Amino acid sequence: MLVISSTQRKPIFLFLTFFFLLLCLYFSPLRYLNVSISIPDEQQQEKSSSIDFRNADSVDQLISNLEHEEIMKPWENSTRANAAFVILTRNSELDALRKTMQQLEERFNNKFNYPYVFLNDEEFTLEFRELTASLTSAKTQYGIIPREHWSYPDWIDVDKADEARRRMGEQQIIYGDSLSYRHMCRFNSGFFYRHPLMEQYDYYWRVEPSVEFYCDIDYDPFLYMQENNKKYGWTISLLEFESTIPTLWETSRKFMKEHPQFIPEKNLLRFVTEDKGKTYNLCHFWSNFEIADLNFLRSPEYSAYFDYLDQAGGFFYERWGDAPVHSIAVAMFLNKTEVHFFDDIGYRHDPFMHCPLDRNVQKKCHCNVDDNFDFTVFSCMNKWLLA
């Protein structure tokens, strides 16, 4: 039998008593009570502004605030550029144009509400006006092209022009025998931005019937151009038919020689010539899509260039297109930082299309990247990248 002496019992009793008190303290409700501590006002304010995630009410309040917090989308910003769509079209193209407008509205303009300017060399019908205006909540304006902007100028030899069209028709050159196509190219090269309906605007987006817009455009390209000092924007670049512009480059070279003050040291001529200006490589931006600064076209240098070309007669004696005219002007007068490739705008004008390669952008598109024109042998994308 174990016998514990009186001198041994005292330490054991003290130990058991201490252990019991510890257990009582550990399980006591007093452990969970808040202790009042004096906190300086500045620290108290900082503490009160924080979220206590142990407090269910605080967490609910945080979630509620996040749910109701307004995150402004780009189109909810009331800031707009002074800009418009410009569409050169005919009454007979109404159905094709309505399809294009439907896409453009769905993809972009039902959010940003930019106005439309429709131009024609004859009066628009009531049907045309009603069925285009019904597709948009934006302002629509309809204008007639002045006769002097859609006819032979006085210095053109009409017989010579007629013979040139006949000969080009026999050679089966695309639009080679068309007079109206020549009027259109001349108008788009030097007159559309002078139309009274366009004088109020600073930027334009050219749209044509039957083109397609493949991707949601969730930002404002006009504002992008304005805020980043961009003068010209494009989506597709390609080679021109040399038979339509046999003397355009030589005429442009003469202009540059006679007006060196207009050609900045930093330019984009490498995009259109690869032998220091001796020849034209036929590259141009396809102007059926372009977003640009109207004040660039109104500038003294562009005005002088167009007038020089117009006097040479190539719009009628050959078949100079507005696409190479705009592109050579851009190359002469602007530098690459002032020109923008709208890679994120999916676009088609038969038979070519541009589809964005970026996977995040593709999520908002319905085009097939395998059909992309950009890296085919007829594209000038590689010239752009090297310019």
Side-chain angles (χ1 to χ4, degrees):
M1 178 177 179
L2 181 61
V3 178
I4 301 175
S5 67
S6 60
T7 55
Q8 291 174 317
R9 290 193 196 103
K10 188 173 181 179
I12 292 174
F13 178 78
L14 291 174
F15 173 80
L16 291 174
T17 303
F18 180 71
F19 182 75
F20 178 77
L21 290 173
L22 284 177
L23 289 175
C24 291
L25 180 62
Y26 183 81
F27 289 105
S28 172
L30 294 174
R31 179 171 172 260
Y32 297 96
L33 292 178
N34 291 328
V35 180
S36 177
I37 302 175
S38 177
I39 301 176
D41 291 343
E42 183 177 346
Q43 295 182 26
Q44 181 67 38
Q45 184 177 0
E46 181 179 345
K47 181 179 178 182
S48 65
S49 64
S50 65
I51 299 295
D52 182 1
F53 286 93
R54 294 171 298 177
N55 187 320
D57 292 339
S58 298
V59 174
D60 290 343
Q61 183 63 44
L62 174 63
I63 294 173
S64 177
N65 289 343
L66 289 175
E67 287 177 347
H68 293 88
E69 183 178 356
E70 294 186 4
I71 301 174
M72 181 174 288
K73 298 178 177 64
W75 54 88
E76 293 173 339
N77 180 354
S78 61
T79 302
R80 294 289 183 270
N82 183 22
F85 300 105
V86 59
I87 304 177
L88 177 62
T89 187
R90 297 183 181 279
N91 291 307
S92 59
E93 295 174 308
L94 176 60
D95 289 342
L97 177 59
R98 278 170 56 82
K99 291 178 182 178
T100 292
M101 284 185 66
Q102 259 187 328
Q103 277 195 5
L104 185 55
E105 285 291 314
E106 180 182 347
R107 293 298 196 177
F108 170 73
N109 203 48
N110 66 346
K111 301 184 288 282
F112 291 91
N113 214 42
Y114 277 102
Y116 290 83
V117 175
F118 301 93
L119 299 176
N120 192 352
D121 64 325
E122 59 185 28
E123 187 76 43
F124 282 110
T125 64
L126 180 61
E127 178 189 35
F128 186 98
R129 292 169 182 258
E130 289 181 346
L131 293 184
T132 50
S134 66
L135 291 174
T136 179
S137 59
K139 181 180 180 181
T140 55
Q141 299 172 279
Y142 304 85
I144 298 178
I145 298 169
R147 187 178 181 280
E148 60 270 23
H149 294 171
W150 199 272
S151 60
Y152 285 123
D154 295 340
W155 57 87
I156 293 297
D157 183 331
V158 176
D159 292 336
K160 180 180 177 180
D162 290 344
E163 174 59 23
R165 289 200 315 281
R166 184 194 64 77
R167 185 175 63 254
M168 293 180 74
E170 289 179 351
Q171 296 170 352
Q172 297 186 332
I173 295 172
I174 185 169
Y175 301 118
D177 59 352
S178 173
L179 177 58
S180 63
Y181 191 85
R182 286 167 167 80
H183 287 317
M184 179 195 72
C185 290
R186 180 172 179 255
F187 177 76
N188 280 328
S189 294
F191 295 109
F192 83 89
Y193 52 90
R194 306 185 199 188
H195 192 281
L197 292 180
M198 294 300 297
E199 289 177 351
Q200 61 188 300
Y201 298 112
D202 294 323
Y203 293 89
Y204 73 95
W205 181 335
R206 178 169 160 183
V207 178
E208 293 195 355
S210 296
V211 303
E212 293 187 72
F213 295 94
Y214 288 132
C215 305
D216 291 339
I217 305 169
D218 295 329
Y219 70 101
D220 189 336
F222 290 123
L223 272 186
Y224 175 85
M225 297 283 287
Q226 179 177 292
E227 292 172 354
N228 292 277
N229 194 33
K230 303 293 184 181
K231 307 295 185 185
Y232 189 86
W234 58 281
T235 57
I236 294 176
S237 61
L238 70 166
L239 299 173
E240 180 61 295
F241 294 99
E242 189 170 9
S243 56
T244 66
I245 53 163
T247 66
L248 175 59
W249 183 248
E250 186 57 36
T251 307
S252 299
R253 287 185 67 195
K254 290 178 181 177
F255 172 83
M256 286 187 277
K257 186 175 181 179
E258 294 176 23
H259 301 278
Q261 73 276 16
F262 289 142
I263 315 301
E265 183 177 349
K266 291 184 178 181
N267 54 56
L268 198 51
L269 284 169
R270 284 185 60 189
F271 177 67
V272 296
T273 180
E274 299 161 49
D275 52 12
K276 298 183 179 180
K278 292 180 182 178
T279 60
Y280 177 34
N281 64 11
L282 306 179
C283 281
H284 65 282
F285 306 116
W286 217 14
S287 59
N288 46 70
F289 174 102
E290 54 186 9
I291 301 175
D293 186 341
L294 284 160
N295 294 305
F296 165 63
L297 298 179
R298 296 168 181 147
S299 66
E301 56 268 33
Y302 184 86
S303 298
Y305 178 57
F306 171 74
D307 290 344
Y308 194 91
L309 297 183
D310 204 23
Q311 288 291 329
F315 290 107
F316 297 103
Y317 301 145
E318 297 177 11
R319 205 228 65 191
W320 292 353
D322 53 276
V325 169
H326 283 187
S327 301
I328 293 173
V330 166
M332 287 192 298
F333 305 134
L334 301 180
N335 61 63
K336 194 172 183 179
T337 64
E338 296 173 300
V339 182
H340 183 66
F341 169 41
F342 280 102
D343 185 26
D344 54 353
I345 297 182
Y347 173 77
R348 180 181 184 87
H349 182 296
D350 281 338
F352 306 127
M353 62 92 79
H354 165 72
C355 186
L357 298 179
D358 186 287
R359 180 52 59 91
N360 288 326
V361 178
Q362 288 175 19
K363 293 174 182 177
K364 302 184 293 182
C365 305
H366 70 272
C367 53
N368 186 345
V369 293
D370 294 334
D371 297 330
N372 207 330
F373 178 74
D374 294 347
F375 298 102
T376 64
V377 294
F378 299 107
S379 171
C380 287
M381 176 60 72
N382 60 332
K383 300 294 191 299
W384 166 256
L385 294 175
L386 295 171

